[in-house]
Amino acid sequence: SAAVAAAVAAGVWFFGFMNDEEPQTLAVATLEAPVGHQTMTVLNDGTQIRLNSGSRLEVIAGNGTERRVNLHGEAYFDVAKNPDMPFVVTTSGMEVKVLGTEFNVTAYDENQTVVLVEGQVEARPADGGTCVTMHPDQLFGYNAVSGETSLREVDVAEYTSWTEGYVLLKSTPVSEIFTKLEHYFR
C-alpha cells in the first residue's frame, strides 16, 4: 500500500510540472494494480484513471505540449479536457489520442482494444498505421502480431463493467470469456 501511494503521489507530482514554462527532464512514475486488485488515481490535471488487476501505467512528465502515459494491462480513463494539451495513451501496439473523454483500453497481450464511452478519440497502431476517429459505443481492435485492425459497434457496458465490480459477458464470444475472466479474477 505504501509503495502504491508513493507511486501515485509521484505520478501526480510529475503531471503537475507539465504546465511549467521551464524546460525539464523527462521523468516517469510507475503506478501498478497488484493482481487481484484495482487502483484509482487522479492526476494533477484532474484526469481519473482506474487500473484493473495486474496492470501497470507509466505517467510521463513532458514538455507541456501533451500529456502522455504508457499502459500494460487495462485501464479506464476519464480525461480532463484540455484542447491545448492532448492526452496520449500508448501500449505495446497502439496509440490513443484524446483531448478530454471517457474510454477503456485493454492491452494485456497482442490483442488490444479501445472502447469509447463518451467524446471522441483517435486510435492507431503504434507502427504508424492508419488513424481511426472513434465515436461513442465503438471498439477499435488491433492485433500486434498480425497487424490487423477493426472498428465495430459494441455494448460499452461489456467492456467497462469491471469498474463497477462485476463482469458483463452478454455477447462476448466464448473464445474471449476465459481470457477476460483470467484478467479480472487472477
Side-chain angles (χ1 to χ4, degrees):
S1 291
V4 171
V8 169
V12 170
W13 181 76
F14 287 134
F15 250 69
F17 284 105
M18 294 186 68
N19 291 323
D20 289 351
E21 297 297 323
E22 296 293 319
Q24 52 194 285
T25 305
L26 185 65
V28 178
T30 302
L31 311 172
E32 294 185 326
V35 173
H37 295 83
Q38 297 176 3
T39 62
M40 175 72 163
T41 302
V42 179
L43 302 178
N44 194 40
D45 70 349
T47 296
Q48 296 178 20
I49 303 170
R50 183 182 298 268
L51 289 178
N52 203 355
S53 173
S55 299
R56 183 179 70 248
L57 184 78
E58 295 171 340
V59 179
I60 303 169
N63 59 10
T65 61
E66 67 182 11
R67 303 167 286 171
R68 183 173 286 270
V69 297
N70 295 327
L71 174 67
H72 176 76
E74 183 169 20
Y76 183 90
F77 296 88
D78 184 352
V79 178
K81 290 178 174 53
N82 184 341
D84 298 325
M85 196 178 315
F87 191 93
V88 180
V89 179
T90 58
T91 69
S92 62
M94 291 188 306
E95 180 176 283
V96 182
K97 184 176 179 180
V98 301
L99 298 176
T101 191
E102 291 185 42
F103 58 100
N104 193 79
V105 177
T106 303
Y108 285 108
D109 52 26
E110 69 274 358
N111 291 311
Q112 302 182 15
T113 63
V114 179
V115 175
L116 184 57
V117 177
E118 178 182 300
Q120 192 175 35
V121 302
E122 294 177 352
R124 69 177 178 85
D127 65 6
T130 303
C131 184
V132 174
T133 300
M134 296 177 61
H135 301 282
D137 302 322
Q138 288 186 325
L139 175 144
F140 173 80
Y142 176 69
N143 183 296
V145 173
S146 69
E148 291 180 39
T149 63
S150 62
L151 182 66
R152 61 187 166 100
E153 300 289 322
V154 295
D155 178 356
V156 171
E158 289 191 54
Y159 297 88
T160 62
S161 60
W162 67 269
T163 66
E164 302 295 325
Y166 67 95
V167 179
L168 182 62
L169 301 170
K170 187 168 53 176
S171 64
T172 304
V174 174
S175 61
E176 295 176 20
I177 289 176
F178 291 112
T179 303
K180 275 191 169 195
L181 293 176
E182 176 187 355
H183 294 305
Y184 298 145
F185 298 110
R186 5 178 172 181

